[in-house]
Amino acid sequence: MKEIKETLSTKITHACDVLVVGGGFGGIAAALSAARLGKKVILVEKSYYLGGLGTSGLVTIYLPICDGYGHQVSFGIAEELLELSIEYDCDGKLGVKNWVRGEGTRDEHSPRYEVNFNPALFATSAEKALLKEGVEILFGVSLVSAVTEDEKIRYAVVEGKSGRYAIEAKSYVDASGDADLSDRAGAPTEKCGFGNVLSAWYYSYGQDGWNLHMTGDIDVIPGSVPPEKASRVRYSGLDDGEISLYMERSRDRMLSAVLEARKTDETHVPTTIATIPQFRMTRRIAGERTLTKADNHREFPDSLGLFSNWRERGPIYECPLSTLYSRKIKNLIVAGRCQSADDAMLEISRVIPCCSVMGEGAGVVAALTDDIPAFDVTKAQEVLRARGIPLHENEL
């Protein structure tokens, strides 16, 4: 393979206490959390729209923050963002009536504490919330590399319309969804083994009004029943050529679905299509601990919050700090889909409420220390408890 040699001199144009890479739900929660501790926070987002998969990817379902048996599990910013997502649009949205409005029952036969939401309204509301807390948002800015020294990130090198420049921070939060910052900084990472099926979700308007269409291949977890339904074509989400092919096939699948729908409704038109690939799991940090499905109902001394299983009622998981960092890069913490979890567990923890729980915890830790391996986690736990967040199941 041919190579070119580059000699670059990169200006350091920004400095902050906490730099958050990625403006999905995990990044939003982390930025809000750190800013509320009085820290100067910069959030860089490669698109021009907050929310990640939940908005640009049209996965507009805020999955449950309850255990399915009538007990709320996730609190703090995770609940705040759920409420924010339906601030201007909440009628008839899944569990709104019994949870938000207090109508009806909350048991194993009731709707769970989850909602559908409008992507444009949430992205706008989230942006306003961040700006209100003093967070500086840099849109259209992509991470290029990280400069490390003495097992710490000193600078994140980014590039946008202004060109290439560096941001200096004391602590860094990787909420990229793909562990991009972790990878660029030299932290140990692992590729997810499941891969991703082709998804082509889109919104339409027609005779039956405005609807979300979950078009694409059936996403059955490999090894589950029935295996014959699982798509055999999967994508890692980490190769430019493969990602481009995925997007081309996704739009082709969407168009086919639209034309099929027009056979019975000639007014059916797509109103919004996903503008990013709908990859669920790509790459994660190899942390000090790896969370597994067997950790259901297990107590961890370094827990930063709780989340439930969106696929089934009952399970409750704690989020240990040790799953969010590697001691090889001392001032880096991850949130969201970058968590150190095996494939089966990441299938549970990759969703919006779990990312939000991790983001709030990560934001607190990043605000309090630039040396996570040496950090006394009880200091972060004190902050979270003061915010009214249970950290262990027995506190619910």
Side-chain angles (χ1 to χ4, degrees):
M1 181 181 294
K2 292 183 177 180
E3 295 182 352
I4 62 171
K5 290 185 177 181
E6 296 181 280
T7 302
L8 299 172
S9 179
T10 303
K11 292 183 179 180
I12 304 165
T13 59
H14 296 69
C16 59
D17 296 309
V18 178
L19 176 66
V20 180
V21 176
F25 279 79
I28 292 168
L32 286 173
S33 184
R36 287 172 180 172
L37 288 175
K39 301 301 180 181
K40 182 178 180 181
V41 179
I42 295 177
L43 184 151
V44 296
E45 166 54 42
K46 62 185 178 182
S47 73
Y48 293 86
Y49 202 50
L50 293 174
L53 269 180
T55 55
S56 298
L58 300 187
V59 185
T60 54
I61 305 171
Y62 204 116
L63 288 164
I65 61 172
C66 71
D67 68 350
Y69 290 125
H71 308 106
Q72 185 175 343
V73 172
S74 301
F75 295 79
I77 291 177
E79 184 175 21
E80 179 183 337
L81 293 181
L82 182 149
E83 294 175 351
L84 192 68
S85 76
I86 55 172
E87 182 179 12
Y88 302 108
D89 179 25
C90 66
D91 288 338
K93 302 297 183 182
L94 297 177
V96 169
K97 289 184 177 180
N98 61 327
W99 284 95
V100 177
R101 295 177 179 170
E103 302 173 9
T105 60
R106 298 179 186 176
D107 55 33
E108 64 269 28
H109 305 295
S110 307
R112 298 181 69 176
Y113 195 176
E114 61 181 320
V115 297
N116 289 340
F117 62 90
N118 180 286
L121 291 175
F122 173 77
T124 303
S125 295
E127 183 178 314
K128 289 170 67 68
L130 287 168
L131 295 176
K132 182 180 178 181
E133 296 291 347
V135 176
E136 181 179 359
I137 308 171
L138 297 176
F139 285 115
V141 175
S142 298
L143 177 73
V144 175
S145 62
V147 178
T148 60
E149 180 183 320
D150 296 329
E151 299 181 309
K152 287 186 177 181
I153 301 174
R154 297 303 179 186
Y155 310 98
V157 180
V158 300
E159 189 160 1
K161 193 61 67 176
S162 301
R164 182 185 178 106
Y165 54 95
I167 301 175
E168 181 179 10
K170 296 176 182 177
S171 299
Y172 297 79
V173 179
D174 185 350
S176 65
D178 305 309
D180 287 337
L181 179 57
S182 304
D183 177 67
R184 305 297 193 274
T189 61
E190 297 174 341
K191 293 181 180 179
C192 301
F194 281 178
N196 299 270
V197 299
L198 187 70
S199 292
W201 293 21
Y202 73 99
Y203 276 94
S204 75
Y205 193 83
Q207 293 175 351
D208 56 351
W210 189 58
N211 287 290
L212 172 64
H213 301 268
M214 300 181 189
T215 305
D217 292 337
I218 297 175
D219 190 4
V220 179
I221 302 173
S224 65
V225 179
E228 65 273 9
K229 289 187 176 181
S231 172
R232 295 183 179 181
V233 180
R234 293 188 170 258
Y235 305 81
S236 71
L238 296 171
D239 176 83
D240 290 342
E242 180 194 60
I243 294 170
S244 299
L245 181 62
Y246 179 99
M247 294 303 290
E248 293 162 7
R249 289 175 174 174
S250 173
R251 284 187 276 267
D252 186 62
R253 183 72 64 87
M254 180 275 298
L255 179 59
S256 296
V258 169
L259 296 177
E260 182 64 27
R262 283 188 175 179
K263 292 179 181 179
T264 55
D265 177 10
E266 61 183 14
T267 68
H268 181 96
V269 293
T271 57
T272 310
I273 66 172
T275 56
I276 62 173
Q278 295 172 320
F279 296 136
R280 270 60 169 186
M281 299 186 290
T282 55
R283 179 171 53 204
R284 59 193 175 231
I285 197 169
E288 297 305 298
R289 178 187 297 276
T290 297
L291 201 65
T292 72
K293 282 190 71 176
D295 291 323
N296 174 26
H297 301 300
R298 181 177 176 182
E299 183 171 314
F300 293 98
D302 60 340
S303 174
L304 298 177
L306 302 167
F307 49 78
S308 59
N309 186 332
W310 64 278
R311 286 189 173 271
E312 57 182 286
R313 296 174 185 255
I316 296 175
Y317 294 90
E318 296 188 1
C319 177
L321 170 61
S322 47
T323 65
L324 303 182
Y325 79 96
S326 164
R327 63 179 56 253
K328 293 187 177 181
I329 303 294
K330 297 177 180 179
N331 63 342
L332 170 68
I333 189 167
V334 307
R337 296 187 292 128
C338 307
Q339 183 190 29
S340 181
D342 66 13
D343 283 0
M345 186 64 222
L346 199 60
E347 171 65 16
I348 296 168
S349 67
R350 64 176 173 78
V351 298
I352 290 173
C354 308
C355 293
S356 302
V357 169
M358 285 184 256
E360 180 160 17
V364 169
V365 173
L368 296 180
T369 184
D370 64 352
D371 189 348
I372 300 172
F375 179 60
D376 179 0
V377 70
T378 62
K379 294 181 179 179
Q381 291 173 328
E382 288 173 3
V383 173
L384 292 166
R385 284 197 172 100
R387 294 179 178 181
I389 299 173
L391 303 181
H392 304 295
E393 189 175 348
N394 61 16
E395 298 174 13
L396 293 174

Coordinates of all heavy atoms in Angstrom, one line a residue, residues 1 14 28 38-39 70 81 128 141 154 163 205 211 224 234 252 259 261 269 297 325 348 371:
M1 N 0.8 -1.2 0.0 CA 0.0 0.0 0.0 C 0.9 1.2 0.0 O 1.8 1.4 0.8 CB -0.9 0.0 1.2 CG -1.8 1.2 1.3 SD -2.9 1.2 2.8 CE -3.9 -0.3 2.5
H14 N -8.9 25.9 21.3 CA -9.9 25.8 22.4 C -9.4 25.1 23.6 O -8.5 24.2 23.5 CB -11.2 25.0 21.9 CG -11.9 25.7 20.8 ND1 -11.4 25.7 19.5 CD2 -13.1 26.2 20.8 CE1 -12.3 26.3 18.7 NE2 -13.4 26.6 19.5
I28 N -25.0 14.1 25.3 CA -25.8 15.1 25.9 C -25.9 15.0 27.4 O -25.7 16.0 28.1 CB -27.3 15.1 25.3 CG1 -27.3 15.4 23.8 CG2 -28.2 16.0 26.0 CD1 -28.6 15.0 23.1
G38 N -20.3 23.1 37.4 CA -19.6 24.3 37.2 C -18.4 24.2 36.3 O -17.5 25.1 36.2
K39 N -18.3 23.2 35.5 CA -17.1 23.0 34.6 C -17.4 23.6 33.2 O -18.5 23.6 32.8 CB -16.8 21.5 34.5 CG -16.5 20.8 35.8 CD -15.3 21.5 36.5 CE -15.0 20.8 37.8 NZ -13.9 21.4 38.5
G70 N -43.6 -2.2 37.4 CA -44.1 -1.0 38.1 C -43.1 -0.2 38.9 O -43.5 0.7 39.6
L81 N -34.4 13.7 30.2 CA -34.3 13.7 28.7 C -35.6 13.0 28.1 O -36.1 13.4 27.1 CB -33.1 13.0 28.2 CG -31.7 13.7 28.5 CD1 -30.6 12.9 27.9 CD2 -31.8 15.1 27.9
K128 N -31.2 23.5 23.2 CA -31.5 24.6 24.1 C -31.1 24.3 25.6 O -30.6 25.2 26.3 CB -33.0 24.9 24.1 CG -33.5 25.6 22.8 CD -35.0 25.6 22.7 CE -35.6 26.6 23.7 NZ -35.2 28.0 23.4
V141 N -18.0 19.1 13.4 CA -16.6 18.9 13.8 C -16.4 17.5 14.1 O -17.0 16.9 14.9 CB -16.3 19.8 15.0 CG1 -14.9 19.5 15.5 CG2 -16.5 21.3 14.6
R154 N -3.8 14.7 26.0 CA -3.5 16.1 26.2 C -4.3 17.0 25.3 O -4.7 18.1 25.7 CB -2.0 16.4 26.0 CG -1.1 15.7 26.9 CD -1.4 16.0 28.4 NE -0.5 15.3 29.3 CZ -0.6 15.4 30.6 NH1 -1.6 16.1 31.2 NH2 0.2 14.7 31.4
G163 N -11.1 24.2 9.5 CA -9.9 23.5 9.2 C -9.6 22.6 10.4 O -10.4 22.1 11.1
Y205 N -45.9 10.2 5.3 CA -47.2 10.7 5.4 C -48.1 10.2 4.3 O -47.7 10.1 3.2 CB -47.2 12.3 5.4 CG -48.5 12.9 5.9 CD1 -48.8 13.0 7.3 CD2 -49.5 13.2 5.0 CE1 -49.9 13.5 7.7 CE2 -50.7 13.7 5.4 CZ -50.9 13.9 6.8 OH -52.1 14.4 7.3
N211 N -46.3 8.3 10.0 CA -45.9 7.1 10.6 C -44.5 6.8 10.5 O -43.8 7.2 9.5 CB -46.7 5.9 10.0 CG -48.1 5.9 10.4 OD1 -48.5 5.6 11.6 ND2 -49.1 6.2 9.5
S224 N -29.9 -16.8 19.0 CA -31.3 -16.8 19.6 C -32.2 -17.6 18.7 O -31.8 -18.0 17.6 CB -31.8 -15.4 19.8 OG -32.0 -14.8 18.5
R234 N -24.3 -8.9 7.5 CA -24.1 -8.0 8.6 C -22.9 -7.1 8.3 O -22.0 -7.4 7.5 CB -23.8 -8.8 9.9 CG -25.1 -9.5 10.4 CD -25.0 -10.2 11.7 NE -26.4 -10.6 12.1 CZ -27.2 -10.0 13.0 NH1 -26.8 -8.9 13.6 NH2 -28.4 -10.5 13.3
D252 N -32.0 2.3 -1.0 CA -32.6 1.5 -2.0 C -33.8 0.7 -1.4 O -34.9 0.6 -1.9 CB -31.6 0.5 -2.7 CG -32.2 -0.2 -3.8 OD1 -32.7 0.4 -4.8 OD2 -32.3 -1.5 -3.7
L259 N -42.4 2.5 -2.7 CA -43.2 2.1 -3.9 C -44.2 0.9 -3.6 O -45.2 0.9 -4.2 CB -42.1 1.6 -5.0 CG -41.2 2.7 -5.5 CD1 -40.2 2.2 -6.5 CD2 -42.0 3.9 -6.1
A261 N -45.7 0.5 -0.7 CA -46.8 1.2 0.0 C -47.7 1.9 -0.9 O -49.0 2.0 -0.7 CB -46.3 2.1 1.1
V269 N -45.9 9.2 1.0 CA -44.6 9.8 0.6 C -43.7 9.8 1.8 O -44.1 10.0 3.0 CB -44.8 11.3 0.2 CG1 -45.6 11.4 -1.1 CG2 -45.5 12.1 1.3
H297 N -29.2 -8.0 38.5 CA -29.4 -7.9 40.0 C -28.2 -7.9 40.8 O -28.2 -8.1 42.0 CB -30.4 -8.9 40.5 CG -31.7 -8.9 39.8 ND1 -32.6 -7.8 39.9 CD2 -32.4 -9.8 39.0 CE1 -33.7 -8.1 39.2 NE2 -33.6 -9.3 38.6
Y325 N -14.0 2.8 31.7 CA -12.7 3.4 31.5 C -11.6 2.2 31.5 O -11.9 1.1 31.9 CB -12.3 4.4 32.6 CG -11.8 3.8 33.9 CD1 -10.5 3.6 34.2 CD2 -12.8 3.3 34.8 CE1 -10.1 3.0 35.3 CE2 -12.4 2.8 36.0 CZ -11.0 2.6 36.3 OH -10.6 2.0 37.5
I348 N -28.4 -4.9 25.3 CA -29.3 -4.3 26.3 C -28.9 -2.9 26.6 O -29.8 -2.0 26.6 CB -29.3 -5.1 27.5 CG1 -29.8 -6.5 27.3 CG2 -30.1 -4.5 28.7 CD1 -29.6 -7.5 28.4
D371 N -7.8 11.8 36.7 CA -7.1 10.5 36.9 C -8.1 9.5 37.5 O -8.2 9.3 38.7 CB -5.9 10.7 37.9 CG -5.0 9.5 38.1 OD1 -5.4 8.4 37.5 OD2 -3.9 9.7 38.7

